[in-house]
């Protein structure tokens, strides 16, 4: 359907109707005027014809052309009308403007025929002689019931026709003026109606563009004012609803975004409906572009696909564990449940993903730890038990053998005690990690260096070594003095332990760009490169036999690492086998 402007829709029928009315009216008026004029002309011709009849009656029946023609010519000239006298034979007896001899018979002319029958004949006809329309009136002269002569008066219609033409021109001009006026008035009227409609249309367009706080102006007419009010009301309600919906959506987004769990909602067609920030991070997705994509396209994890497919085909919620491969391997527990609409119809599946990697690691570490502890304990316990059995055997061993055995049992018991001490220290440190600020305060670095040195001095002296100490003045760190002392004592203890008699051991503290660097050096056996990365692990020993023989528990460096972490510090080691090692503990300055 072709659409036209409101103005044109009003204007066209209006104009057409007007033109038809004007046309019909003009045609009717002109027709009436013409008929009236012709009738008038005929009436005046009849009067003139009767005057001529009156004049001819003086001839007393002698209607020969030489009698009649002069009268016709004289009266014709006087009245300015063409007068013709016709005999019943049709022959012309007189004519005001032509010579009688040159004229043909006139008996067949319509008005003449009527007059020959005794009536007044009237006719309008085109004259081939004069080349114009003429009006004719014929009046009979009757003698004893018979027409003896017909007097015909005729006149050109040119004057009437000219009047008609002028009237027509005038009417057309008037009609045109009226039409122009009507178009202008109609246009103005249409504009008056359409301009509020236009402004309402613009208002509706603004609403469609989301400018719901704008308002449509209220027009003057009642009907349009109702429409404008209805539009404004609609916009206000729409705005309110959109605000509610967007507030709810924002709340939902905020909840979903701040969830530590990953959330993925999919439709029955496996397209993603919603995915939260956490899930996007895990699967490397963009929150906005992921929506609408197929799950198997966006998330490359067969475990998740299986859970989704299972949930879409089943009705009951379930839980499943998945592994997210990649650099940061994650252990995920997927809780799948059906996604329903407000009517309770299932419209998809909801997957809530819980990262239990940390828990998994802890469980693993704990079971490893238990295995390691059992293993560490078994050796001294087996040894003590073996020697005790030998001592209790009959006959008892020699007294000096007994003493040797008892000394071995004593050493093993010391090892067990050291192990228990270290395990307790580690457990204590792990507890402290959850309470970072426990007993933290400013610590004088030189004082802890000195205390650690004192603790290790006896063992060093026993090996004929001295511990060199050097520290920049006035160094302080924020921390726990006892723990820091323990960490440094562990490092110094190792340095002494793994350095042959005659070697050198030193401890120093320096200001460094990253804080305060405390270094423990020795010129001992060193650590082979392949072990360097792992010596801080619990129960890891680079040289198992030597560690055991030295009464090492394998936990000393793990304790140091924990204490460093507790102080937001870094522990590292550089070592060259056969030349010595340097352990660096960098702590943030106070
Ligand atoms: P241990 O009780 O066995 O000394 P640690 O955790 O203190 O356990 O040390 C782990 C391992 O690192 C040791 O077994 C040893 O092999 C190696 N190690 C530690 N400190 C030194 C050092 N200063 N020189 C050589 N090796 C060392």
């Amino acid at each position: 359907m072709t659409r036209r402007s409101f103005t044109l829709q009003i204007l066209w029928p209006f104009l057409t109707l007007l033109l038809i009315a004007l046309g019909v009216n003009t045609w009717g008026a002109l027709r009436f005027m013409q008929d009236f004029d012709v009738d008038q002309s005929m009436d005046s011709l009849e009067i003139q014809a009767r005057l001529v009849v009156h004049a001819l009656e003086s001839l007393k029946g002698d209607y020969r052309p030489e009698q009649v023609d002069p009268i016709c010519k004289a009266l014709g000239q006087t009245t300015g009308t063409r007068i013709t006298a016709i005999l019943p034979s049709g022959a012309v007896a007189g004519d005001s403007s032509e010579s009688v001899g040159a004229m043909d018979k006139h008996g067949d002319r319509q008005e003449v025929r009527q007059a020959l029958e005794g009536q007044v004949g009237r006719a309008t006809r085109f004259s081939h002689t004069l080349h114009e329309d003429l009006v004719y009136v014929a009046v009979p002269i009757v003698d004893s019931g018979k027409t003896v002569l017909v007097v015909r008066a005729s006149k050109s219609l040119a004057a009437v026709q000219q009047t008609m033409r002028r009237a027509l021109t005038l009417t057309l001009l008037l009609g045109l003026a009226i039409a122009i006026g009507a178009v202008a008035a109609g246009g103005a009227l249409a504009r008056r109606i359409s301009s509020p409609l236009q402004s309402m249309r613009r208002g509706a367009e603004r609403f469609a563009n989301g400018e719901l706080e704008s308002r449509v102006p209220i027009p003057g007419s009642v009907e349009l004012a109702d429409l404008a009010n209805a539009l404004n009301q609609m916009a206000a309600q729409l705005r309110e609803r959109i605000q509610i919906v967007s507030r709810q959506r924002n709340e939902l987004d905020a909840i979903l975004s701040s969830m530590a769990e990953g959330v993925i909602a999919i439709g029955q067609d496996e397209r993603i409906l919603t995915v939260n920030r956490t899930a996007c991070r895990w699967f490397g997705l963009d929150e906005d572009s992921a929506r609408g994509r197929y799950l198997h396209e966006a998330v490359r994890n067969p475990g998740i696909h299986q859970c989704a497919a299972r949930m879409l085909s089943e009705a009951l919620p379930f839980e499943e564990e998945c592994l997210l491969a990649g650099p940061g391997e994650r252990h995920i527990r997927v809780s799948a449940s059906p996604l329903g609409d407000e009517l309770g119809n299932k419209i998809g599946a909801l997957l809530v993903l819980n990262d239990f990697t940390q828990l998994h690691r802890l469980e693993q570490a704990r079971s490893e730890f238990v295995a390691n502890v059992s293993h560490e304990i078994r050796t001294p316990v087996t040894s003590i038990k073996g020697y005790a059995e030998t001592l209790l055997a009959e006959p008892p061993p020699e007294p000096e053998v007994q003493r040797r055995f008892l000394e071995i049992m004593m050493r093993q018991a010391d090892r067990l005690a050291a192990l228990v001490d270290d395990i307790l220290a580690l457990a204590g440190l792990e507890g402290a990690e959850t309470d970072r600020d426990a007993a933290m305060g400013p610590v004088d670095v030189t004082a802890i260096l000195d205390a650690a040195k004192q603790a290790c001095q006896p063992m060093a002296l026993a090996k004929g070594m001295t511990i060199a100490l050097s520290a920049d003045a006035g160094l302080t760190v924020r921390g726990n003095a006892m723990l820091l002392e323990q960490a440094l004592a562990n490092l110094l203890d190792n340095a002494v332990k793994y350095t042959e008699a005659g070697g050198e051991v030193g401890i120093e503290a320096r200001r460094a760009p990253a804080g305060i660097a405390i270094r423990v050096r020795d010129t001992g056996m060193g650590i082979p490169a392949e072990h360097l990365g792992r010596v801080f692990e619990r129960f890891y020993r680079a040289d198992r036999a030597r560690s055991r023989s030295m009464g090492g528990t394998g936990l000393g460096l793990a304790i140091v690492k924990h204490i460093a972490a507790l102080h937001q510090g870094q522990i590292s080691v550089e070592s060259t086998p056969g030349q010595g090692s340097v352990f660096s503990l960098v702590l943030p300055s106070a």
Side-chain angles (χ1 to χ4, degrees):
M1 194 178 113
T2 50
R3 290 195 159 72
R4 282 185 299 168
S5 83
F6 186 73
T7 312
L8 277 184
Q9 279 193 45
I10 289 188
L11 222 53
W12 271 123
F14 187 65
L15 197 64
T16 314
L17 264 179
L18 189 83
L19 288 178
I20 290 173
L22 268 176
V24 169
N25 207 24
T26 309
W27 181 80
L30 289 178
R31 204 43 217 272
F32 174 78
M33 270 169 68
Q34 192 180 21
D35 288 352
F36 181 77
D37 274 4
V38 170
D39 282 351
Q40 284 275 305
S41 302
M42 283 182 168
D43 288 349
S44 94
L45 282 179
E46 190 180 333
I47 292 168
Q48 286 172 20
R50 285 196 190 282
L51 285 174
V52 176
V53 166
H54 186 69
L56 287 176
E57 272 167 358
S58 61
L59 294 175
K60 308 226 184 288
D62 179 11
Y63 298 132
R64 283 173 299 134
E66 47 273 31
Q67 298 292 331
V68 176
D69 193 49
I71 297 175
C72 288
K73 283 197 163 64
L75 285 175
Q77 211 160 12
T78 317
T79 57
T81 306
R82 186 178 175 189
I83 308 287
T84 313
I86 301 132
L87 291 166
S89 61
V92 175
D95 189 86
S96 58
S97 38
E98 300 284 330
S99 86
V100 174
M103 292 179 72
D104 52 0
K105 291 206 167 189
H106 271 48
D108 58 343
R109 308 291 200 272
Q110 185 199 338
E111 69 283 359
V112 178
R113 274 205 317 272
Q114 285 172 354
L116 287 175
E117 283 163 16
Q119 295 158 6
V120 175
R122 292 185 171 203
T124 311
R125 201 167 52 245
F126 184 76
S127 156
H128 293 284
T129 326
L130 299 173
H131 296 288
E132 56 183 348
D133 284 321
L134 293 177
V135 54
Y136 300 92
V137 175
V139 176
I141 301 177
V142 182
D143 185 18
S144 351
K146 269 183 81 183
T147 303
V148 289
L149 191 71
V150 173
V151 175
R152 186 185 79 171
S154 66
K155 193 174 153 185
S156 163
L157 269 180
V160 173
Q161 280 168 343
Q162 204 181 353
T163 313
M164 292 313 299
R165 268 198 296 279
R166 248 191 263 132
L168 183 66
T169 313
L170 195 68
T171 319
L172 282 178
L173 282 175
L174 259 174
L176 192 68
I178 290 175
I180 290 171
V183 166
L189 181 71
R191 260 196 306 283
R192 251 188 86 180
I193 300 174
S194 72
S195 99
L197 282 177
Q198 296 273 20
S199 79
M200 264 190 271
R201 180 182 59 92
R202 283 195 293 274
E205 275 170 4
R206 284 200 300 278
F207 295 159
N209 287 335
E211 295 172 41
L212 293 173
E213 65 291 342
S214 81
R215 287 290 167 263
V216 171
I218 310 290
S221 78
V222 180
E223 295 84 351
L224 291 182
D226 285 349
L227 183 60
N229 278 325
L231 269 177
N232 286 340
Q233 221 171 334
M234 181 195 77
Q237 280 177 5
L238 212 59
R239 185 166 178 233
E240 208 173 302
R241 276 185 206 162
I242 287 176
Q243 276 174 345
I244 292 172
V245 170
S246 69
R247 196 172 54 236
Q248 285 172 345
R249 205 200 143 90
N250 288 346
E251 282 167 9
L252 191 68
D253 277 354
I255 293 170
L256 284 176
S257 312
S258 47
M259 273 174 79
E261 290 85 4
V263 176
I264 304 177
I266 54 166
Q268 284 295 114
D269 57 355
E270 283 196 41
R271 278 182 195 269
I272 296 175
L273 300 174
T274 303
V275 55
N276 78 340
R277 198 179 292 166
T278 307
C280 282
R281 205 177 57 236
W282 291 348
F283 298 110
L285 297 175
D286 175 69
E287 233 172 305
D288 293 322
S289 62
R291 282 197 191 111
R293 285 174 68 191
Y294 286 106
L295 183 71
H296 57 83
E297 228 175 66
V299 173
R300 306 226 169 265
N301 185 296
I304 303 280
H305 299 169
Q306 275 166 16
C307 288
R310 190 177 147 196
M311 190 65 253
L312 288 177
S313 60
E314 286 179 14
L316 291 177
F318 64 87
E319 284 199 352
E320 195 84 63
E321 281 178 15
C322 286
L323 189 70
L324 298 194
E329 191 186 69
R330 284 175 198 277
H331 292 265
I332 299 284
R333 183 168 295 118
V334 182
S335 305
S337 46
L339 196 68
D341 63 9
E342 62 273 21
L343 299 173
N345 301 319
K346 189 176 165 195
I347 56 161
L350 181 71
L351 307 179
V352 178
L353 318 176
N354 223 311
D355 182 359
F356 70 104
T357 313
Q358 200 65 20
L359 204 71
H360 183 82
R361 274 200 206 122
L362 279 178
E363 271 168 13
Q364 223 171 17
R366 188 159 298 145
S367 60
E368 260 172 38
F369 186 69
V370 170
N372 282 332
V373 168
S374 324
H375 180 75
E376 292 292 328
I377 288 173
R378 189 171 298 128
T379 321
V381 168
T382 314
S383 161
I384 289 169
K385 197 176 166 224
Y387 286 111
E389 277 169 2
T390 315
L391 286 174
L392 290 173
E394 284 298 334
E398 297 296 308
E400 66 271 27
V401 175
Q402 279 188 18
R403 185 174 174 78
R404 201 156 47 88
F405 281 8
L406 284 172
E407 279 170 1
I408 294 172
M409 286 169 73
M410 186 66 185
R411 267 208 309 279
Q412 295 295 356
D414 281 348
R415 223 184 122 192
L416 269 180
L419 198 64
V420 170
D421 282 349
D422 279 358
I423 290 171
L424 285 177
L426 256 185
L429 284 172
E430 274 171 2
E433 259 173 20
T434 52
D435 181 17
R436 291 209 156 206
D437 287 336
M440 291 281 190
V443 176
D444 177 13
V445 174
T446 316
I448 50 164
L449 255 60
D450 208 45
K453 179 185 164 179
Q454 295 309 325
C456 299
Q457 195 84 318
M459 190 165 72
L461 286 177
K463 282 180 105 174
M465 297 193 283
T466 49
I467 299 172
L469 189 151
S470 130
D472 289 348
L475 297 181
T476 3
V477 290
R478 198 183 122 74
N480 182 308
M482 224 174 69
L483 292 178
L484 288 174
E485 198 184 303
Q486 187 185 350
L488 297 182
N490 281 5
L491 291 176
L492 270 180
D493 184 68
N494 278 352
V496 174
K497 223 161 50 178
Y498 297 109
T499 303
E500 298 298 334
E504 285 168 24
V505 172
I507 183 164
E508 59 171 45
R510 302 272 175 253
R511 247 179 218 102
I516 289 161
I518 302 173
R519 292 191 192 88
V520 176
R521 305 170 185 277
D522 65 66
T523 53
M525 53 184 289
I527 305 166
E530 69 267 26
H531 297 295
L532 275 182
R534 300 195 61 189
V535 287
F536 296 100
E537 288 176 18
R538 288 181 290 196
F539 298 115
Y540 192 86
R541 294 173 175 100
D543 185 339
R544 195 161 284 273
R546 181 172 291 248
S547 164
R548 288 252 159 78
S549 70
M550 297 285 178
T553 58
L555 292 173
L557 289 183
I559 291 171
V560 174
K561 191 181 163 192
H562 267 288
I563 294 173
L566 206 61
H567 289 79
Q568 270 124 54
Q570 295 284 335
I571 177 81
S572 59
V573 58
E574 285 166 38
S575 185
T576 314
Q579 289 188 19
S581 316
V582 183
F583 282 84
S584 306
L585 172 63
V586 181
L587 297 169
S589 42

